[in-house]
Amino acid sequence: MKKIIALLMMAVMMLALCGCGGDKKAENKPANDKKIVLKLSHVFSPDEQLYKSMELVAGRIKEKTNGRVEIQCYGQNQLACYKDGLEQVANGANFISVEDPSYLGDYVPDFKPLVGPMLYQSYDEYAKMIETPLVKDMVAKAEKKGIKVLALDYVFGFRNLITNKVITKPEDLKGMKLRTPGSKLFIDTINAMGATATSLPFSETLSGVSQGVVDGLEGSEFTNIGTKCYEHCKNVATTKHFLGTCGVYISTKVWDKISPEDQKIVAEEFAYGGKEMTKIGTESYNKVYKELESKGVKFNDVDHAAFEKATEPVFKQMEEKEGATPGIYEKLKAELKKIRAAK
């Protein structure tokens, strides 16, 4: 009996030791086995390329990290967007915001002039601009504010004026009301161009045009075809007043929770996704342009120099009243001059 009791006690001790060993093993699990779930938010619809690109990037990240980084994408303003989306990021939520870089201007004011009006003539100029030390410094400043910039180049086309009237110069916009997003930069720009900016949710825009609440809107050809704006407005003035682009932003605190191995994958995939989207957009633009023409849309050129001069006060206001670095407009123009000279 004594031998049996002794054997039972030894068995209990062995089980206890095994249990402790198991706990220790669990505690020593590598950090890159930890899973993180991030919600990604943007305003684009399923028919638009940015929506598709975010799904592609999220899928590749999940596969390459073996599910350790899962990004759940929400389009069409289902979750916080615009200023509210950036606030989620700045406050350290497990959240990725996909927005126009101008919204970063609330944290680093120089991002507003970076995507200011009438600056760029091609996608390539912008791609080269964001690689300059001038913009790299802006990105570093954003990181000090708690915002990690994963990309700035999800380009979806130049934004033009979509109306039923032929617009060639600023004077042609006098008395016209044009729908804009709620961004101050957009509102100030449309006002400076000669129209009256009217901020409306996009869901109300087309009915607003048909009911005379607004006389038109501004947007890209991809938005025009994707949302069937052409059914209400038949003319596009190719002002190219903004290059339509989005950046991808995540909290630095959340970024630090991700292992270095997975950080590399996430960064590389978002960088690749931006170039991939731009390539798709470039290749499909002519098709979209011709399709819009087949729907009865007419395109006309404008006096770019006149619109550029009209919108210069927008940059001055950024510097004088919104905290942008004095002389930033001249610095951006100087960089563009070098970029164009190097072609």
Side-chain angles (χ1 to χ4, degrees):
M1 181 61 70
K2 287 181 179 179
K3 287 182 179 179
I4 291 170
I5 292 171
L7 286 169
L8 286 170
M9 289 179 67
M10 286 179 66
V12 170
M13 289 175 67
M14 289 290 289
L15 285 169
L17 286 169
C18 287
C20 290
D23 288 342
K24 187 172 182 181
K25 186 177 180 181
E27 287 172 6
N28 290 334
K29 268 185 157 184
N32 65 359
D33 275 357
K34 293 179 179 177
K35 179 173 179 175
I36 186 167
V37 178
L38 304 166
K39 295 186 185 299
L40 181 150
S41 178
H42 60 79
V43 299
F44 292 80
S45 68
D47 289 334
E48 295 180 271
Q49 186 55 47
L50 189 137
Y51 188 107
K52 298 172 185 176
S53 291
M54 289 300 118
E55 296 284 345
L56 285 171
V57 172
R60 290 194 291 253
I61 288 172
K62 186 174 183 180
E63 180 183 354
K64 291 185 177 182
T65 62
N66 294 319
R68 294 185 299 272
V69 180
E70 180 181 344
I71 298 173
Q72 300 171 349
C73 299
Y74 295 83
Q76 297 182 296
N77 206 5
Q78 293 180 69
L79 300 181
C81 286
Y82 303 124
K83 182 177 180 177
D84 293 339
L86 260 296
E87 283 182 0
Q88 291 276 337
V89 171
N91 290 336
N94 281 17
F95 192 88
I96 295 176
S97 179
V98 181
E99 300 295 348
D100 184 290
S102 66
Y103 288 95
L104 280 174
D106 288 341
Y107 304 89
V108 181
D110 285 352
F111 274 104
K112 289 184 181 180
L114 172 66
V115 290
M118 310 302 297
L119 275 178
Y120 305 103
Q121 297 172 3
S122 69
Y123 296 175
D124 189 55
E125 287 181 358
Y126 177 74
K128 286 183 168 60
M129 176 66 83
I130 61 176
E131 293 300 323
T132 62
L134 181 66
V135 179
K136 294 288 187 184
D137 182 59
M138 296 180 201
V139 170
K141 287 176 180 175
E143 197 154 334
K144 289 179 181 177
K145 298 284 187 177
I147 300 170
K148 170 79 176 174
V149 178
L150 292 171
L152 287 169
D153 57 349
Y154 279 79
V155 174
F156 53 90
F158 279 101
R159 301 179 78 101
N160 296 312
L161 301 183
I162 306 170
T163 66
N164 281 312
K165 178 183 175 182
V166 176
I167 307 297
T168 62
K169 55 188 182 300
E171 290 78 10
D172 296 333
L173 287 168
K174 186 176 180 180
M176 293 186 70
K177 293 179 289 184
L178 297 181
R179 182 268 173 185
T180 66
S183 163
K184 188 175 185 302
L185 173 59
F186 280 68
I187 292 168
D188 289 346
T189 295
I190 293 301
N191 286 337
M193 289 172 74
T196 299
T198 304
S199 180
L200 284 176
F202 201 88
S203 59
E204 299 175 18
T205 297
L206 299 186
S207 62
V209 173
S210 64
Q211 294 168 14
V213 176
V214 290
D215 301 303
L217 61 151
E218 58 82 48
S220 74
E221 276 66 74
F222 296 102
T223 296
N224 195 338
I225 199 77
T227 59
K228 298 185 178 180
C229 288
Y230 57 81
E231 293 181 351
H232 303 270
C233 297
K234 293 296 186 182
N235 201 83
V236 174
T238 56
T239 50
K240 293 186 176 181
H241 53 275
F242 285 127
L243 177 64
T245 185
C246 279
V248 181
Y249 322 111
I250 188 172
S251 163
T252 53
K253 291 178 182 177
V254 175
W255 183 249
D256 289 342
K257 295 177 185 177
I258 302 172
S259 71
E261 174 192 353
D262 289 344
Q263 283 180 348
K264 185 173 184 292
I265 292 169
V266 172
E268 286 177 350
E269 288 304 319
F270 273 113
Y272 175 76
K275 291 175 176 58
E276 177 185 49
M277 178 173 155
T278 301
K279 184 173 184 290
I280 292 169
T282 301
E283 291 171 351
S284 62
Y285 179 80
N286 287 338
K287 179 183 175 183
V288 170
Y289 186 96
K290 288 177 181 177
E291 188 174 350
L292 285 168
E293 283 191 318
S294 75
K295 303 288 186 184
V297 175
K298 296 185 183 302
F299 294 83
N300 68 269
D301 294 330
V302 302
D303 185 343
H304 279 272
F307 278 108
E308 186 174 337
K309 184 176 181 181
T311 54
E312 282 180 1
V314 176
F315 292 95
K316 288 184 173 64
Q317 181 170 308
M318 291 178 195
E319 295 177 17
E320 293 171 2
K321 298 182 180 179
E322 298 173 32
T325 302
I328 187 65
Y329 179 52
E330 285 72 20
K331 289 178 182 178
L332 288 165
K333 296 279 279 185
E335 291 293 344
L336 276 171
K337 187 175 180 180
K338 287 189 283 185
I339 289 167
R340 288 166 185 163
K343 285 183 181 179

